[in-house]
Amino acid sequence: MPSYTVTVATGSQWFAGTDDYIYLSLIGSAGCSEKHLLDKAFYNDFERGAVDSYDVTVDEELGEIQLVRIEKRKYWLHDDWYLKYITLKTPTDYIEFPCYRWITGEGEIVLRDGRAKLARDDQIHILKQHRRKELEARQKQYRWMEWNPGFPLSIDAKCHKDLPRDIQFDSEKGVDFVLNYSKAMENLFINRFMHMFQSSWNDFADFEKIFVKISNTISERVKNHWQEDLMFGYQFLNGCNPVLIKRCRELPQKLPVTTEMVECSLERHLSLEQEVQEGNIFIVDYELLDGIDANKTDPCTHQFLAAPICLLYKNLANKIVPIAIQLNQAPGEKNPIFLPSDAKYDWLLAKIWVRSSDFHVHQTITHLLCTHLVSEVFGIAMYRQLPAVHPIFKLLVAHVRFTIAINTKAREQLICEYGLFDKANATGGGGHVQMVQRAVQDLTYSSLCFPEAIKARGMDSTEDIPYYFYRDDGLLVWEAIQSFTSEVVSIYYEDDQVVMEDQELQDFVKDVYVYGMRGRKASGFPKSIKSREKLSEYLTVVIFTASAQHAAVNFGQYDWCSWIPNAPPTMRAPPATAKGVVTIEQIVATLPDRGRSCWHLGAVWALSQFQENELFLGMYPEEHFIEKPVKEAMTRFRKNLEAIVNVIAERNKNKKLPYYYLSPDRIPNSVAI
């Protein structure tokens, strides 16, 4: 009678253990064993973090073991159980069966061994059937839904608890936005101001009452230098929205700026047109905000938006500084072009309007749409079309961890009607929805390919623009990820033909195009992938977007947005229509009131925190892959990332404004906050 040693590993999450009965069946090429009751937690088995071993004897030869079935039956109360993996020692072999899933209720799970297989590798009927059934079950669980017209499709779930258990947060408390924002305001000692909506601050210094001083941080430097043109320009390169600035190839007609207007800012004694030709002029255009409805949810406070155009200049020190700002799109008498030579407060308020507009585009487009919603699309498509045995599933699963959950929670509490977003933001009350609907029309695949996106904005020359650390570090991380994905692809796909014939892969890519991009041809998203090189690029886009790009635009929010005048979430008076009339009192009355300032501060604090037990880029504690070549590729990937960490740390030495958001040891694997 054949005998097997079975090892069962339970997860270490707080509620991972179980008191239920656990049964095991072995399914081999020659037959299936009876169910074996392994034990139950009453006898201290299957406790969280435990690894338990059992000897199982079967009555007849099973042949080569193909599958393991685990069943959970109620002992007292329904008790979810997180199974990490099972290993099986047979008379002739040792087999690993990765799981990393929850078994809920009176459930069962059927596991394959950990070797990654394409569909073409499965010749045995039982394995083909298991593969098909897994995807059929997943497609019932992971359904597409349109949350708002024109949005990328999202998961069909009204709230976090409606999600499949495998993609929920371990504790819903940790991702409760109301709780986290309130806790943040408590930690920042700003509770006393929280409900003071409509109550203005007295002056800029008054904002210090809610500003927490943390020594040697960027936020303190922002507070001390936010009015300076150099600090204003620097943020377009290395702040939390470094994706909008582009080289100006031609002055737009809607910005009728002349050499005479900006002459005192041009240091090379050239005309403005010549400076444009020399590549020294840059532009940031907030056209997306034109005509967006401002927040009207509070009848006691009028809120306003602008759609500025900001012209910037690279001076002789190679620093970027603003030289002209027009606060709305259509030129005219009541839409003057503000200049550094104007009265101090005219120029300052114009810059504040740009910073406020930048905040809105950052939060809703750069952050929400281009990282959160795009990553959710990749995640849903992956679960729907790639079985757990597929190498691409094994590669990507760590990079969609908790993404669908955080987005579902955001739709439940944050960006929904009457949600937290409405409390402090001028684009709340529906403006943020309009913005996403517009921006989706311009979202392209190439804009997610980091090197292409940088080049398309004319920002690729390190010689011309030497202080663009977002670009420099991003390219290093992109190259490291692409090198890793290329290795993994070459392990499982010996040539382009195998890529083209992998129907599961093609269905995954098609799902992203049809549902994520709504079948929009202009998006440039591929409908299919025809080569190993293109597959590697596609996987790099998925991983980079979820990890590096999200880190770059998320974790600097407290640094750059906690000093309220530097990133006002709302403005309480319309843009100035004439010069020479702005006073400091008007600026303070335009900036957010005390209550909205506190909600904003709580939000940027909470959003800037890493998750407890965060997993950073290159960390794969769940061993979905068991093959040596992939593990070796992972080791090389980690070494490449460590080298990048060292390069960035060396550059940041003695810098007053260090840039560390793209240091791999600060880049979480997935969008989870």
Side-chain angles (χ1 to χ4, degrees), residues 538-556:
Y538 195 89
L539 298 173
T540 304
V541 165
V542 177
I543 296 171
F544 187 89
T545 301
S547 57
Q549 186 61 21
H550 180 256
V553 303
N554 181 72
F555 293 104

Side-chain angles (χ1 to χ4, degrees), residues 590-653:
T590 300
L591 288 168
D593 55 43
R594 292 167 190 253
R596 286 181 175 83
S597 296
C598 293
W599 273 106
H600 168 81
L601 198 57
V604 296
W605 171 268
L607 290 170
S608 299
Q609 305 307 304
F610 292 123
Q611 288 280 0
E612 203 178 333
N613 305 319
E614 189 71 82
L615 296 175
F616 295 97
L617 196 57
M619 293 169 67
Y620 297 102
E622 293 185 353
E623 294 192 56
H624 290 275
F625 282 110
I626 65 167
E627 295 98 319
K628 193 179 174 187
V630 188
K631 290 189 171 186
E632 288 171 347
M634 285 176 173
T635 301
R636 282 188 289 275
F637 182 37
R638 279 189 285 274
K639 281 185 179 167
N640 286 344
L641 294 173
E642 281 166 25
I644 296 168
V645 170
N646 294 334
V647 167
I648 292 170
E650 188 61 35
R651 183 205 56 218
N652 282 337
K653 270 185 187 172

Side-chain angles (χ1 to χ4, degrees), residues 237-250:
L237 299 177
N238 301 312
C240 55
N241 195 25
V243 303
L244 297 185
I245 186 169
K246 60 183 181 183
R247 203 183 289 273
C248 183
R249 303 291 185 194
E250 188 182 348

Side-chain angles (χ1 to χ4, degrees), residues 174-395:
V175 71
D176 187 307
F177 286 105
V178 176
L179 192 69
N180 288 350
Y181 284 21
S182 303
K183 202 189 293 176
M185 288 185 271
E186 193 180 310
N187 292 342
L188 297 168
F189 304 105
I190 56 177
N191 314 46
R192 64 191 187 279
F193 300 110
M194 225 170 106
H195 305 294
M196 297 175 76
F197 284 79
Q198 285 83 53
S199 170
S200 291
W201 302 94
N202 297 319
D203 50 35
F204 294 146
D206 205 19
F207 281 99
E208 290 198 39
K209 288 178 181 171
I210 63 162
F211 184 77
V212 181
K213 281 192 181 180
I214 305 167
S215 60
N216 299 322
T217 62
I218 291 169
S219 55
E220 199 167 338
R221 191 159 183 86
V222 171
K223 176 182 75 74
N224 294 333
H225 299 278
W226 70 281
Q227 296 188 44
E228 297 167 14
D229 288 355
L230 279 172
M231 176 62 84
F232 178 88
Y234 178 86
Q235 292 179 72
F236 288 111
L237 299 177
N238 301 312
C240 55
N241 195 25
V243 303
L244 297 185
I245 186 169
K246 60 183 181 183
R247 203 183 289 273
C248 183
R249 303 291 185 194
E250 188 182 348
L251 292 167
Q253 287 188 339
K254 62 183 179 180
L255 181 67
V257 62
T258 64
T259 300
E260 292 68 39
M261 287 179 178
V262 295
E263 206 161 13
C264 61
S265 298
L266 307 179
E267 298 179 354
R268 294 176 178 84
H269 308 296
L270 301 172
S271 70
L272 181 56
E273 286 72 18
Q274 287 171 322
E275 293 280 17
V276 168
Q277 285 165 11
E278 292 288 316
N280 298 322
I281 303 295
F282 299 82
I283 193 165
V284 182
D285 188 348
Y286 297 93
E287 186 177 16
L288 181 80
L289 285 162
D290 192 28
I292 296 293
D293 293 331
N295 194 337
K296 295 181 178 67
T297 58
D298 180 358
C300 300
T301 302
H302 291 299
Q303 299 180 61
F304 298 89
L305 293 167
I309 308 168
C310 180
L311 211 60
L312 299 124
Y313 177 63
K314 184 184 73 171
N315 65 20
L316 288 171
N318 282 326
K319 301 293 173 67
I320 303 287
V321 290
I323 58 170
I325 295 170
Q326 183 176 285
L327 295 182
N328 279 302
Q329 294 288 304
E333 258 183 62
K334 295 201 169 180
N335 187 21
I337 296 173
F338 291 95
L339 308 164
S341 53
D342 289 341
K344 176 183 176 180
Y345 292 124
D346 281 3
W347 181 235
L348 181 60
L349 182 56
K351 288 192 293 179
I352 290 172
W353 269 109
V354 172
R355 293 294 312 136
S356 183
S357 302
D358 194 77
F359 173 79
H360 297 310
V361 171
H362 165 260
Q363 283 290 14
T364 305
I365 308 309
T366 309
H367 183 207
L368 173 64
L369 172 62
C370 295
T371 64
H372 278 258
L373 299 185
V374 167
S375 289
E376 180 176 5
V377 164
F378 290 133
I380 299 170
M382 181 200 78
Y383 279 111
R384 285 175 54 81
Q385 303 298 350
L386 298 176
V389 71
H390 199 290
I392 304 305
F393 179 93
K394 290 173 180 277
L395 177 66

